[in-house]
Amino acid sequence: MKKTIWINRLVDHLIWIVLTLTIVVVALTIDGFFQFNNLSNVLLHGTVLGLLSIAAAMALIGGEMDLSLGVNMGFVGYLVAWISLGKGDVGSGWNLNPILAGLIGVGVGVGIGWVNGSLVTRLKMNSFLVTLGTLIVLGGLTYVINQARTLNGINPVLLVLGGEKTFGVPNSVILTAFAFGIAVIISRFTSGGRRLYAVGSNAVAARAAGIDPGAVKRRMFMVAGGVAGVAGLLIIGELGSAPANVGQGVIFEVFAATVIGGVSLTGGRGSYFDVLGGVLLLSMIANALNLTAIDPFWVEPIRGFIILFAVFLDSQRESLRMWLLKHATSTNQSGSEAA
Amino acid sequence: MKSFTKKVSLLAVASLLALGLNSTSAQGAGVVIGMSSPSLADAGQQVIAAGVKTWVEKQGWTLIAKNANGVAKDQATQIEALIEQKVSAIIMVPADAAAICAPIAKAGEAGIPIFAIDRLPDGCAVAATVLADNYLAGQDSAKAMVKLLTKKYGSAKGIVLEIQGDMSSITAQDRGNGFDDVIKKYKKITLIKKPTKWTEAEFSKATRDVASAKNVDGIYMHSDCVGSVVVTTALKSINKLFKRGNAKHIFLAGVDGCAATMKVFRDGYFDATSSQALPDFGSVTNLVKIVLDGGKITEGAFSATGSSGPIAGKIKNSAAGPTLALKTIPVTPENVDNTALWGNA
């Protein structure tokens, strides 16, 4: 019985085994990987990816998809930088207080989530198509705000979250760790978290149990949008500037991290703790490839192959569980017979 | 009879005048040039557009300027409108290198020569193109890097990170090849190349990862417009940002020389860039004149008097037609305040 519990735990959190093995291989083969500064870089890589993966996992667990998270982040980051800049810095000329600008930005992120959620739940539109539309609209709007010009000279207050450190640890790493902690607590220990799993797993059964799936999903989209907005504040701090194209294309890596972390694309299943494992794995791969001397043209294909391999391992999760359980049972039986 | 002869003479003079006005000869105010910019929001494009205006006026021609605001479809519509207006020639910076081929074909059907500046059309040919000599720009930045490394170590050695652009683009290939061809002569310089898609986020990550794990001596970025701010921010985040003159300073070199780079230069962190001669891309008017006069643009050296002195380049034939690659201007802390540089405009 104890053995079965351990096998289930092991398979459920398979990503951590894959991550540990990868760390060992990378540390043994790549010079300079295991330095404090470099490990800090791995975590830094994982901040924006991590926040967006929390948001994407939330939507997937709730049985929906949000493709707009990356451009939501880029839009918010650009907007916040623009409204807090003076005219001379090719900004809006509004010179808005940076903290107020940041709060407006997160509010806009939540608003984008509300629009997505309302279209999906009230008008019964498909979330894949709705958020694909939002992705295109927001990507275009980011260019419209200031005609695609990169914004430099950002107010230093706005760089604190993404670009400064506390006791040697990047603030963005602390914030992302905190966000993962909160996500784990809410998903495991609050009724709101459990409702999201119930709705994502079977909306009809959830409704029968007195849960309003529409309301749960709208809140879910709004929280996801807000988290993407916070990621927007991190990215401008990390770069020290606000490029108009910053969130485009990010969503593919976000989904890869989320799925590698074991979140089901069909809803109702997944753990934020394991999503963290997926985020760390992809961040480490990106970092390791930057440290290797391989031909630059091979970087992207190799990265793709590694992600495919990780997804393959994830897809074999249930087969592995069955094999391990069968093996454990047969060992127990032969043990009993021998006794 | 006298009256009849007078009438015939007047008619002949009028016909000759009319013919003169309608001719495509590049003489005087009769020549009207249409110009289409991809987006005047971009500081570089503003400089290019102002330069074209100056060069057109220098020829004594009239300019009709249009701005596509970054929309390739609008640029196509604007070029069609210029064709309808029967301009003598069209100069444009393609908003989209491939999408521009349809309007180029329409101009060809109407018998109006069309010229590109700054970017080559992709998949079709124009009468001529004027752009920066990106290969030379890469070479100049490499020479500056070698000089800095030699000054630091007594000989050319060290580790240099090359942050590439999108290597599927000719611009990135030329900037990379120019740099690499110089650096590979120095066996003790280790070159680490990291490809990007010209995005700030990738420039930042490549800098952080490589510079924190290796003792990088210098960084060459294919575009300092993309990289100067984010690379210095990334170096700061790993405690490796030091001013020129500090023993721990990492040499920074690039190509472009836009305003953001000039600021980083003045702040004491940048070492060398190859500034494009954007104000003199308008020298395309010299090529327009050749074509309107019925001449042929031939391969060879090119020289002219530019906005702030002599300019030079080479004309070569390519799949996109004759291409004039103008020499870039090497920028160092010594000449960073030169007002002729487009980044200081």
Side-chain angles (χ1 to χ4, degrees), chain B:
Chain B
M1 185 66 191
K2 209 173 179 184
S3 164
F4 176 75
T5 314
K6 199 177 172 183
K7 276 178 187 169
V8 170
S9 304
L10 279 171
L11 195 66
V13 170
S15 304
L16 280 171
L17 276 173
L19 275 172
L21 285 175
N22 281 333
S23 80
T24 49
S25 160
Q27 299 301 312
V31 175
V32 178
I33 303 293
M35 161 77 183
S36 174
S37 298
S39 167
L40 289 178
D42 180 272
Q45 293 303 327
Q46 286 173 14
V47 174
I48 290 174
V52 169
K53 188 170 181 282
T54 306
W55 279 83
V56 165
E57 284 170 356
K58 210 157 76 176
Q59 298 278 10
W61 299 341
T62 305
L63 183 74
I64 301 173
K66 306 275 183 189
N67 173 17
N69 282 319
V71 184
K73 193 169 165 287
D74 288 357
Q75 185 169 52
T77 310
Q78 286 168 359
I79 289 175
E80 281 163 20
L82 290 169
I83 294 169
E84 289 297 315
Q85 286 176 271
K86 295 187 169 42
V87 294
S88 313
I90 296 170
I91 299 171
M92 51 87 196
V93 180
D96 182 305
I100 200 68
C101 286
I104 286 173
K106 283 185 183 166
E109 285 163 16
I112 297 173
I114 187 161
F115 298 78
I117 44 180
D118 194 31
R119 299 162 195 170
L120 284 165
D122 183 5
C124 55
V126 285
T129 303
V130 173
L131 37 67
D133 189 336
N134 287 306
Y135 182 82
L136 177 75
Q139 280 189 316
D140 283 345
S141 292
K143 285 172 191 165
M145 184 64 78
V146 168
K147 201 171 161 188
L148 290 162
L149 291 171
T150 307
K151 196 175 169 191
K152 182 179 179 182
Y153 291 116
S155 66
K157 64 177 183 180
I159 299 173
V160 176
L161 166 65
E162 178 182 342
I163 306 177
Q164 302 171 318
D166 184 339
M167 290 308 283
S168 66
S169 75
I170 296 166
T171 304
Q173 288 168 15
D174 285 349
R175 290 177 183 188
N177 291 337
F179 190 82
D180 300 354
D181 286 349
V182 172
I183 294 293
K184 70 185 176 194
K185 292 177 193 158
Y186 301 91
K187 303 293 176 205
K188 288 183 179 171
I189 297 178
T190 306
L191 197 56
I192 301 170
K193 298 179 195 177
K194 294 296 159 196
T196 74
K197 301 279 182 200
W198 300 115
T199 69
E200 283 84 351
E202 291 169 307
F203 272 55
S204 172
K205 280 177 187 168
T207 304
R208 236 178 19 221
D209 285 348
V210 179
S212 62
K214 314 258 182 199
N215 289 321
V216 169
D217 295 291
I219 298 174
Y220 165 62
M221 48 198 97
H222 281 197
S223 168
D224 51 57
C225 280
V226 176
S228 59
V229 173
V230 295
V231 165
T232 46
T233 305
L235 287 175
K236 189 181 170 203
S237 78
I238 56 169
N239 304 318
K240 289 204 171 180
L241 183 67
F242 301 98
K243 288 194 174 184
R244 289 189 301 267
N246 187 312
K248 293 179 182 171
H249 170 65
I250 293 176
F251 304 124
L252 299 180
V255 178
D256 277 339
C258 61
T261 307
M262 296 308 184
K263 185 178 181 305
V264 180
F265 246 117
R266 289 189 193 97
D267 290 345
Y269 299 109
F270 221 82
D271 299 89
T273 187
S274 300
S275 173
Q276 300 188 54
L278 298 190
D280 291 319
F281 280 4
S283 58
V284 70
T285 53
N286 287 17
L287 307 182
V288 174
K289 193 171 186 306
I290 293 172
V291 172
L292 292 185
D293 284 343
K296 192 170 178 259
I297 300 166
T298 50
E299 284 193 312
F302 172 90
S303 63
T305 305
S307 55
S308 56
I311 54 167
K314 270 184 199 161
I315 299 174
K316 279 186 180 174
N317 287 327
S318 73
T323 303
L324 165 59
L326 283 179
K327 280 185 181 175
T328 50
I329 306 158
V331 182
T332 62
E334 283 72 44
N335 66 341
V336 68
D337 291 322
N338 182 350
T339 50
L341 299 171
W342 76 273
N344 293 329

Side-chain angles (χ1 to χ4, degrees), chain A residues 56-81:
Chain A
M58 210 180 288
L60 285 173
I61 290 168
E64 303 292 349
M65 274 196 187
D66 190 344
L67 303 179
S68 67
L69 293 165
V71 283
N72 181 340
M73 169 192 78
F75 179 75
V76 167
Y78 196 83
L79 182 75
V80 168

Side-chain angles (χ1 to χ4, degrees), chain A residues 10-318:
Chain A
L10 187 88
V11 175
D12 282 342
H13 305 295
L14 188 65
I15 180 64
W16 293 98
I17 296 167
V18 175
L19 181 66
T20 310
L21 290 173
T22 315
I23 289 174
V24 171
V25 172
V26 170
L28 289 174
T29 53
I30 297 175
D31 270 353
F33 176 79
F34 231 73
Q35 292 172 1
F36 175 78
N37 265 348
N38 190 56
L39 293 177
S40 169
N41 283 339
V42 173
L43 296 178
L44 259 178
H45 271 309
T47 55
V48 167
L49 178 63
L51 286 186
L52 292 179
S53 297
I54 289 174
M58 210 180 288
L60 285 173
I61 290 168
E64 303 292 349
M65 274 196 187
D66 190 344
L67 303 179
S68 67
L69 293 165
V71 283
N72 181 340
M73 169 192 78
F75 179 75
V76 167
Y78 196 83
L79 182 75
V80 168
W82 185 67
I83 59 178
S84 60
L85 277 173
K87 196 80 183 168
D89 308 304
V90 299
S92 59
W94 298 357
N95 266 322
L96 218 60
N97 177 297
I99 295 172
L100 179 62
L103 290 173
I104 289 173
V106 177
V108 168
V110 173
I112 292 165
W114 177 80
V115 171
N116 284 336
S118 299
L119 291 173
V120 170
T121 59
R122 293 192 195 280
L123 299 182
K124 310 290 177 206
M125 292 166 75
N126 179 288
S127 63
F128 181 90
L129 297 174
V130 164
T131 56
L132 179 65
T134 325
L135 177 154
I136 296 166
V137 170
L138 288 177
L141 282 180
T142 314
Y143 279 54
V144 167
I145 292 175
N146 206 16
Q147 301 189 322
R149 285 182 287 193
T150 296
L151 303 175
N152 292 314
I154 294 172
N155 192 306
V157 174
L158 286 171
L159 307 182
V160 170
L161 269 185
E164 300 293 332
K165 293 174 184 175
T166 303
F167 303 119
V169 182
N171 291 342
S172 53
V173 171
I174 297 170
L175 183 95
T176 308
F178 183 72
F180 268 106
I182 295 283
V184 169
I185 290 169
I186 288 177
S187 66
R188 288 191 184 173
F189 305 112
T190 69
S191 59
R194 284 192 290 269
R195 276 188 200 139
L196 188 63
Y197 280 92
V199 167
S201 182
N202 188 335
V204 177
R207 189 184 294 280
I211 299 170
D212 177 357
V216 170
K217 286 185 180 182
R218 274 192 297 280
R219 275 198 293 274
M220 172 271 289
F221 272 112
M222 286 166 74
V223 175
V227 172
V230 174
L233 301 183
L234 289 199
I235 193 73
I236 58 172
E238 185 185 319
L239 297 177
S241 73
N245 61 0
V246 77
Q248 293 177 3
V250 173
I251 199 67
F252 303 112
E253 197 172 21
V254 169
F255 269 88
T258 313
V259 172
I260 289 168
V263 176
S264 164
L265 288 171
T266 52
R269 188 170 69 86
S271 140
Y272 295 100
F273 179 64
D274 291 339
V275 170
L276 173 63
V279 167
L280 289 176
L281 181 70
L282 289 193
S283 304
M284 200 176 60
I285 290 167
N287 173 269
L289 286 172
N290 267 341
L291 296 184
T292 53
I294 53 172
D295 184 328
F297 290 114
W298 275 101
V299 169
E300 283 302 304
I302 289 173
R303 196 157 156 244
F305 278 127
I306 295 171
I307 292 173
L308 272 178
F309 182 66
V311 173
F312 167 76
L313 280 183
D314 180 69
S315 72
Q316 298 304 304
R317 189 191 294 264
E318 292 313 311

